[in-house]
Amino acid sequence: MVERRMSVATHWGSFVAVVDSGRLVRIEPRGDDPAPSPIGPGMVTAADDSARVLRPAVRKGWLNGLPRAHTTARGADAFVEVGWDDAITLVSDELRRVRSQHGDSAVFGGSYGWASAGAFHNAQDQLHRFLALGGGYTDSRNTYSTAALEVILPHVIGGHPWSYQSRMPMWDEIAENCELVVAFGGLALKNSQINPGGLARHQTQNLQRQCREAGVRFVNVSPLRSDVAGFLDAEWLPVIPNTDTAAMLGIAHTMLVNGWHDEDFLRRCCIGFDRFTSYLVGEHDGVAKDAAWAAEITGISREAITDLARRLTAQRSLIMVNYAVQRADHGEQPIWMSVVLAAMAGSMGRPGCGWGAGYATMDATGVARGRPSVAKVPEASNPVPDFIPVARIADTLLHPGETIDYNGQRLTLPELRLIYWCGGNPFHHHQDLHRLARAWQTPDTVVVHEAWWNATAKFADIVLPVATSLERDDFAAGFSDPHLVAMPKVREPAGESRTDHQIFAALASRLGYEQQFTESRSEIEWVRHLYEQTSAQLGDAAVLPSFEDF
């Protein structure tokens, strides 16, 4: 038996992983931990939880051939366990039937969510590659986290939807150059404990402390005082939820009428300010968006709004807007208006100042301008042009054929007959779960890959058990995180679980395109291939160790 010490900064202290013949036997507090806690790391504990899906399972009503559409059994029906061969047959036959009877656009590739870290075992990449090679699928666009921001920013500041991440000020630049940070939606430090794709080193807290030690002042415009860390000693302006845009308009009006705004920058670098000014002073609707008007809507006093307008223009300032403020009806407005406000304030374009979004939403934001390219599973071209905005899944299921507005287009919602979902949980992040539950009854079939019996699994027709990140080989490459982390398999998959890739390879074999899907590589050969491809892409930027040493 071999012991390995895990260098993990957690709420539970330090631990020793006890491994026997490559299998994680248990994890226990390290002997020199001054105050070991009985609570273990979540992933290790969850791996053997009673909620694990251990064998393929099929909803009884679906298996018995009851009417598959417009039922109310999903979420309430019992499941019957079946063997893997039967499960692969059921899924492959249903994919064939739906595609032949209703077309490829009737299949929805709903792998939305972070799933778990891993460059190869990325659920979205695996599912979309499988479905695209099989004929295509209806895709989704944008994210629940930042959809309004993703759509509006390219129209306001240019670039692609996420290019602002590398253009906005980093924390070290803020510490060195900025005097005042105004954070709409706050800076909840707890949110920075995670990062899509993995996180090697937590840095946000220390970087925020450096800003405070450098004398940067913070203003928290949020309904919650606790939306900033206590050590920032932030001024709190408690705003009524969903009134951030009104607060920004009141500040902008105050800047304008006092002549505090940066006329030179607005003239040289912006277009449309004359039209905005006309709206701001009330030429169109007779309502001046002044501090008094904003105070009545936002709950922030007229005096506080006026004072903040003065300070924003008198000091080197940065306006931050968090993702939360755009998760609402007309969510594009606070994003758009925050850019306008930053342009007026006079610090746009200066080091450490101007505008930024999503600070402390995840650790990568504001920490680094991005890492070099990391190889990923090759995409396959999707022959189906149809897509839906990610949060319109319930609308699509309930009202196929209707048209909606999206980013200057008119989209017709497709008729979805088969939902294939893995690597995410729509019943965790969708807005109106009762409506989603009703909508979820309409397709013919719902196939889900899951490790646990969560709500999405319980609302499926066919549930295929998948391995966790502890039960497969991979390497992590987090979003904008300049680290690669080895993820060797430390235990066998629970029950009869398989990896997503193994499941799709079996289905592709049954459907006649296994070689196209796997490219004749095993999983560990894929991991090696992506690692070596990453090493080659890095070139002189970084010299990686050999795959074996890594």
Side-chain angles (χ1 to χ4, degrees):
M1 189 169 286
V2 180
E3 290 191 359
R4 292 180 180 172
R5 294 191 177 275
M6 299 171 60
S7 299
V8 181
T10 72
H11 296 294
W12 321 290
S14 303
F15 292 85
V16 174
V18 181
V19 181
D20 183 15
S21 302
R23 176 182 174 85
L24 183 66
V25 179
R26 67 183 182 277
I27 197 159
E28 57 192 31
R30 198 171 70 184
D32 58 351
D33 194 312
S37 164
I39 302 174
M43 201 65 181
V44 174
T45 303
D48 291 314
D49 192 86
S50 59
R52 277 299 295 263
V53 182
L54 299 176
R55 295 167 195 85
V58 185
R59 185 169 64 83
K60 184 180 290 186
W62 190 95
L63 191 62
N64 290 341
L66 298 178
R68 294 182 180 177
H70 307 289
T71 71
T72 56
R74 289 191 186 110
D77 205 357
F79 283 82
V80 177
E81 292 185 343
V82 300
W84 267 110
D85 189 64
D86 289 335
I88 295 298
T89 298
L90 289 171
V91 176
S92 58
D93 285 353
E94 187 64 359
L95 279 167
R96 282 196 193 96
R97 182 192 71 81
V98 170
R99 289 187 189 279
S100 64
Q101 293 183 8
H102 305 286
D104 296 317
S105 64
V107 177
F108 182 64
S111 180
Y112 172 85
W114 286 20
S116 61
F120 174 65
H121 292 287
N122 179 294
Q124 292 192 42
D125 291 348
Q126 294 285 345
L127 174 63
H128 293 165
R129 177 177 168 83
F130 166 74
L131 292 178
L133 290 171
Y137 62 99
T138 292
D139 199 359
S140 63
R141 293 273 177 91
N142 307 126
T143 67
Y144 279 88
S145 298
T146 59
L149 178 150
E150 293 172 65
V151 171
I152 195 63
L153 278 184
H155 296 283
V156 178
I157 62 173
H160 64 76
W162 284 86
S163 61
Y164 72 91
Q165 281 270 344
S166 62
R167 290 187 283 157
M168 67 190 204
M170 301 293 109
W171 283 114
D172 57 348
E173 297 171 324
I174 297 169
E176 184 176 352
N177 299 284
C178 190
E179 295 175 308
L180 176 67
V181 171
V182 179
F184 289 91
L187 283 167
L189 194 58
K190 61 182 176 60
N191 297 335
S192 69
Q193 298 301 303
I194 54 176
N195 196 39
L199 177 60
R201 186 158 55 98
H202 297 269
Q203 301 179 75
T204 298
Q205 181 175 159
N206 287 338
L207 290 167
Q208 285 191 8
R209 287 185 182 276
Q210 290 174 21
C211 290
R212 186 66 192 93
E213 291 166 2
V216 181
R217 303 298 302 183
F218 286 80
V219 178
N220 171 29
V221 185
S222 169
L224 302 177
R225 183 193 295 271
S226 59
D227 264 352
V228 295
F231 61 77
L232 290 179
D233 192 27
E235 176 186 347
W236 180 39
L237 297 182
V239 65
I240 294 172
N242 293 336
T243 66
D244 301 86
T245 304
M248 295 178 200
L249 285 167
I251 296 168
H253 186 279
T254 305
M255 290 179 180
L256 180 70
V257 297
N258 287 284
W260 297 338
H261 59 296
D262 188 345
E263 290 190 39
D264 176 66
F265 180 84
L266 293 166
R267 182 181 65 258
R268 290 187 300 105
C269 303
C270 307
I271 58 172
F273 185 67
D274 54 339
R275 296 173 60 190
F276 171 72
T277 299
S278 179
Y279 167 76
L280 192 62
V281 299
E283 290 181 2
H284 295 288
D285 55 10
V287 178
K289 316 307 182 294
D290 58 18
W293 169 87
E296 289 188 12
I297 296 172
T298 65
I300 302 173
S301 72
R302 176 180 178 178
E303 292 73 22
I305 291 171
T306 301
D307 180 62
L308 188 55
R310 178 187 55 78
R311 285 188 287 158
L312 275 168
T313 54
Q315 297 176 282
R316 297 191 302 275
S317 61
L318 171 64
I319 292 174
M320 297 179 171
V321 58
N322 218 332
Y323 295 159
V325 301
Q326 55 92 69
R327 294 171 184 162
D329 193 13
H330 292 85
E332 74 282 357
Q333 291 185 357
I335 300 298
W336 195 344
M337 185 58 216
S338 64
V339 176
V340 176
L341 191 60
M344 294 179 68
S347 293
M348 192 75 97
R350 296 182 178 180
C353 302
W355 179 90
Y359 290 94
T361 302
M362 51 192 177
D363 190 81
T365 307
V367 172
R369 295 200 181 278
R371 54 162 164 73
S373 176
V374 173
K376 57 183 292 186
V377 176
E379 294 182 8
S381 177
N382 182 8
V384 174
D386 296 341
F387 69 91
I388 62 171
V390 68
R392 303 303 290 267
I393 179 62
D395 296 322
T396 304
L397 293 172
L398 290 170
H399 305 293
E402 289 194 359
T403 58
I404 62 170
D405 291 313
Y406 172 77
N407 198 15
Q409 307 174 53
R410 292 290 292 171
L411 298 182
T412 300
L413 300 178
E415 183 176 21
L416 303 178
R417 293 300 189 115
L418 187 150
I419 294 177
Y420 207 131
W421 205 290
C422 65
N425 183 354
F427 286 88
H428 171 72
H429 54 237
H430 195 74
Q431 298 97 329
D432 185 338
L433 295 184
H434 292 293
R435 188 166 184 265
L436 181 65
R438 292 195 303 273
W440 215 250
Q441 308 301 328
T442 60
D444 295 356
T445 303
V446 178
V447 182
V448 168
H449 293 192
E450 249 310 328
W452 295 277
W453 282 104
N454 60 16
T456 300
K458 292 176 181 178
F459 272 83
D461 298 310
I462 302 174
V463 182
L464 304 179
V466 289
T468 69
S469 56
L470 297 175
E471 301 162 347
R472 63 199 190 195
D473 287 299
D474 213 332
F475 67 92
F479 177 78
S480 290
D481 186 24
H483 298 82
L484 297 182
V485 180
M487 299 176 64
K489 177 180 175 180
V490 296
R491 54 169 284 162
E492 292 302 314
E496 297 177 17
S497 301
R498 298 180 179 181
T499 66
D500 293 310
H501 181 79
Q502 288 173 328
I503 296 170
F504 290 132
L507 287 168
S509 176
R510 197 68 62 89
L511 293 167
Y513 58 93
E514 179 184 14
Q515 198 283 327
Q516 285 178 277
F517 178 73
T518 66
E519 298 186 8
S520 300
R521 291 189 182 96
S522 67
E523 290 192 346
I524 192 62
E525 287 172 340
W526 265 112
V527 176
R528 175 192 290 271
H529 172 69
L530 295 181
Y531 178 81
E532 292 177 347
Q533 195 174 37
T534 297
S535 181
Q537 289 173 187
L538 288 172
D540 295 332
V543 178
L544 301 185
S546 70
F547 182 69
E548 288 75 14
D549 289 343
F550 176 71

